Amino acid sequence: MMTKNAKWQTQAKRLIDFPGKIFAQISKVFYNHTMTFRIPTFQKQFSTVFAASLLLVVADLFTKNLAFQTLQSGYSIIDNFFKLQYQQNFGIAFSLPLPYWLIIAINIILLVAIIYLADRELNLKHPAARFAVTFLIAGALGNLTDRLLGGYVIDFIEIWRWPAFNLADAYITIGVLLILLFYGKINRK
């Protein structure tokens, strides 16, 4: 027969272990049964990718801050074709309006999906794969940071009739283009 103290200790242990069990189930995406990282090369390559992504995010946030400070009235570079103009984008891609919480959730899901799919589908030993993933992560983090800090994304580049965009959007476009152009060489076969 268990004493009250032993019962309390057992219940407390179960309560403490519960989040760990949930985390273990979720982390099976990235870990095998021994709880070691599934692909050691991914760890090595990802540290470089993540560091480069952070540098690109800093550049993106710097240009957005610069746009906020200097481009309120706009600056036309090529009449009716290329203009720098500060804008607040409360929507998602192409300024599509969605609730704030949904946009944040989509951003986080896409960021996790980029990392997961890069691990599963791409050979990160290939420079084009590393560049592509670096640009995708930087773009996702740059816009996510903007939304978390201000509730919107700062756009400031306007080209002809295309919706205004920023460096983070350009990073995402570059990352996707690199994957499309080099997929035959960078995918895991």
Side-chain angles (χ1 to χ4, degrees):
M1 185 168 146
M2 289 183 111
T3 65
K4 277 188 175 183
N5 192 25
K7 284 182 183 179
W8 181 85
Q9 287 177 341
T10 303
Q11 288 175 344
K13 185 173 179 353
R14 286 183 186 156
L15 186 62
I16 291 169
D17 289 345
F18 183 70
K21 288 179 182 178
I22 290 174
F23 179 75
Q25 293 299 317
I26 293 170
S27 65
K28 283 183 181 178
V29 170
F30 295 106
Y31 293 88
N32 65 17
H33 67 282
T34 62
M35 294 305 286
T36 57
F37 204 75
R38 195 170 52 77
I39 301 175
T41 56
F42 180 74
Q43 262 184 334
K44 292 175 192 171
Q45 303 301 331
F46 187 72
S47 62
T48 305
V49 165
F50 191 68
S53 294
L54 289 180
L55 288 175
L56 290 173
V57 169
V58 168
D60 173 59
L61 295 176
F62 174 77
T63 59
K64 289 173 180 174
N65 186 40
L66 194 61
F68 173 74
Q69 293 177 5
T70 61
L71 297 174
Q72 297 290 334
S73 59
Y75 181 75
S76 183
I77 296 174
I78 300 173
D79 288 338
N80 297 325
F81 185 74
F82 184 49
K83 181 179 181 181
L84 299 177
Q85 171 77 46
Y86 172 81
Q87 296 180 23
Q88 296 176 349
N89 181 354
F90 290 92
I92 201 159
F94 305 107
S95 301
L96 297 172
L98 290 176
Y100 176 75
W101 65 269
L102 184 58
I103 293 173
I104 296 297
I106 290 170
N107 278 332
I108 292 170
I109 289 168
L110 287 175
L111 187 58
V112 170
I114 290 166
I115 295 168
Y116 176 76
L117 291 173
D119 176 34
R120 291 281 193 200
E121 299 294 325
L122 301 178
N123 176 7
L124 289 176
K125 290 181 181 178
H126 195 285
R130 285 195 307 273
F131 278 115
V133 175
T134 297
F135 280 115
L136 288 171
I137 290 173
L141 280 176
N143 283 339
L144 179 61
T145 303
D146 239 12
R147 288 192 192 286
L148 291 174
L149 294 176
Y152 55 86
V153 170
I154 295 173
D155 289 330
F156 60 93
I157 304 168
E158 293 180 22
I159 298 177
W160 197 42
R161 296 177 187 206
W162 195 257
F165 61 96
N166 56 46
L167 284 185
D169 298 333
Y171 295 160
I172 292 169
T173 303
I174 292 167
V176 169
L177 287 174
L178 285 171
I179 289 173
L180 291 174
L181 290 172
F182 295 101
Y183 189 73
K185 294 180 181 179
I186 63 175
N187 70 328
R188 290 181 187 227
K189 295 175 182 172

